[in-house]
Amino acid sequence: MRGTALAAAAMAGALVLAGCAKDSGAGNNNNAGSGDQSAGCVTAPKPPAAAAASTSTSQSSEKVDGSKLKVALAFDVGGRGDASFNDSAAAGTDKAKAELGVTTVTESTAAATEDEAAKSQRLDQLASQGFSPIIAVGFAYANAVKAVAPKYPNTKFAIVDESVEAPNVTSLVFAEEQGSFLAGVAAAYKSKKCHVGFVGGVNTPLIQKFEAGFLQGVKAASSKAKIEDEYLTPAGDFSGFQDPAKGNVKAAAQIAKGADVLYHAAGASGKGVFEAAKSNNALAIGVDSDQYNQKTVEASKDVIITSMLKRVDVAVFDYLRALAKGDLTSLPKRFDLKVDGIGYATSGGKVDDIKDVLEGYKAQIVSGAITVSDKPQK
């Protein structure tokens, strides 16, 4: 358990009643943090509301023919239906079918227990069957891509969430810490107990980026908030991304300690986090896709206040479009807030009342006024 000190015990009742994000002068333009904040949790001044400068990754309406592409999606554990980044990658290819005329798409999913040899064999088989591009969805494919891509110099590869230097490999990487910062701000503003939680799937450098941004966002909004911060499995054990039961147990334990808003970066295990929140009168923040609208977690949608959007769908579609045009130089080197490769969901209207706050922080990140670390600061 990690976090900043909770307000004194004498204030606990007031915190529960007034909420974590009490804005002095509610209903006017006073900044949070100005005036009497004794009963609230948010201690930082509200950032000035401003539209963040954006260079969207959306391409022009120019007609592009992708019918010659033979696309292979090599999913990470969970595959299509994980309500997370695998589903988002699938949405990118689905859009390519509809808008680029892509007709040939095959999908293959990794097992939680498979070794590097199995991943390499999967990519090798797809390449030998003539698929190009082959999109490896997830950092777990990094070594396999490094091993297989040089064997097929005329085959195009892409990898999500990892940088691989090779002439026929495109790396689709994201600023997860930036979107997670906004998730942390939202958690602080929506917590009634000034106590929030993070549930990571597997303790890897990638998921630590989500953790780092979330912790920084919470602390930026409140110096009082207490933070539960835990992982389901250690590095190397990828079952943490597809174990809803374990996600449920971990989330329920955090709620029992007092956390009332939980943010997960746990893939399919997030379903268990949502179920625990729903069963224990807490709130939750989704990840990667707009999980409020995901069918696989529909039973818990009423507790999902927002989701950190990691636009794998945008990255995959833009990659396929650029490839069909024969111009990969149009892709950003990193999909971040500035190019709308990262964002937050507003479905359900549950963060409408703090959208000006979120947009203010977003503008400061885009402008460089706030630098979000990609490594957790304990």
Side-chain angles (χ1 to χ4, degrees):
M1 180 170 60
R2 308 174 182 92
T4 52
L6 185 63
M11 292 174 58
L15 282 170
V16 173
L17 290 174
C20 188
K22 181 177 181 293
D23 238 348
S24 69
N28 59 36
N29 292 323
N30 290 349
N31 287 340
S34 62
D36 180 12
Q37 289 293 308
S38 61
C41 183
V42 170
T43 54
K46 183 190 297 182
S54 174
T55 306
S56 175
T57 60
S58 298
Q59 308 270 351
S60 71
S61 58
E62 175 191 356
K63 183 67 175 177
V64 174
D65 181 11
S67 61
K68 293 182 180 180
L69 299 179
K70 294 183 65 177
V71 182
L73 276 177
F75 287 127
D76 203 348
V77 292
R80 186 187 279 265
D82 71 341
S84 191
F85 73 101
N86 285 308
D87 266 355
S88 189
T93 55
D94 291 346
K95 184 178 179 182
K97 289 180 182 179
E99 298 187 15
L100 304 180
V102 172
T103 58
T104 304
V105 177
T106 191
E107 299 176 357
S108 181
T109 302
T113 56
E114 73 178 27
D115 57 16
E116 292 291 345
K119 289 181 174 60
S120 293
Q121 184 179 18
R122 175 177 296 107
L123 299 185
D124 204 323
Q125 183 177 30
L126 291 169
S128 66
Q129 291 173 346
F131 286 98
S132 182
I134 298 170
I135 303 172
V137 186
F139 65 88
Y141 279 102
N143 289 335
V145 170
K146 291 174 184 176
V148 176
K151 296 168 57 178
Y152 299 91
N154 296 322
T155 298
K156 297 296 185 182
F157 291 81
I159 182 167
V160 176
D161 284 346
E162 189 61 84
S163 293
V164 173
E165 296 295 332
N168 58 334
V169 178
T170 299
S171 300
L172 305 175
V173 295
F174 301 81
E176 293 92 349
E177 69 279 5
Q178 293 183 356
S180 297
F181 181 103
L182 299 181
V185 171
Y189 269 80
K190 290 297 180 178
S191 175
K192 294 181 178 180
K193 298 181 179 180
C194 211
H195 196 160
V196 302
F198 172 80
V199 178
V202 182
N203 194 348
T204 63
L206 173 65
I207 306 303
Q208 288 170 10
K209 291 170 69 179
F210 293 85
E211 176 193 15
F214 181 74
L215 298 181
Q216 189 175 339
V218 172
K219 294 172 184 178
S222 173
S223 61
K224 299 178 181 179
K226 186 173 183 179
I227 308 171
E228 305 296 330
D229 182 9
E230 299 173 282
Y231 284 87
L232 300 181
T233 57
D237 180 359
F238 293 104
S239 67
F241 290 133
Q242 58 169 12
D243 194 339
K246 185 175 288 187
N248 190 316
V249 170
K250 186 70 71 175
Q254 291 191 357
I255 295 168
K257 292 177 182 177
D260 62 353
V261 183
L262 305 183
Y263 173 47
H264 87 87
S269 300
K271 181 177 181 181
V273 175
F274 295 145
E275 290 169 347
K278 185 175 178 67
S279 297
N280 294 280
N281 198 32
L283 300 173
I285 297 174
V287 74
D288 296 334
S289 301
D290 184 353
Q291 298 201 286
Y292 182 88
N293 290 321
Q294 286 281 352
K295 293 295 183 184
T296 54
V297 295
E298 186 173 18
S300 303
K301 68 184 297 182
D302 56 316
V303 303
I304 302 173
I305 59 172
T306 184
S307 296
M308 193 287 282
L309 299 179
K310 178 176 171 179
R311 301 303 303 273
V312 177
D313 57 334
V314 170
V316 167
F317 176 81
D318 284 359
Y319 167 69
L320 293 175
R321 192 177 193 281
L323 193 60
K325 287 184 64 178
D327 181 17
L328 290 174
T329 63
S330 62
L331 293 174
K333 293 191 178 300
R334 188 172 73 143
F335 290 84
D336 58 13
L337 282 175
K338 188 174 184 179
V339 299
D340 292 331
I342 291 289
Y344 64 94
T346 58
S347 297
K350 300 178 186 295
V351 293
D352 287 356
D353 58 327
I354 60 168
K355 190 173 180 181
D356 61 332
V357 173
L358 298 176
E359 287 297 309
Y361 277 111
K362 176 182 175 181
Q364 290 193 28
I365 293 170
V366 169
S367 71
I370 293 177
T371 299
V372 185
S373 174
D374 61 2
K375 294 179 175 55
Q377 305 297 309
K378 308 297 185 183

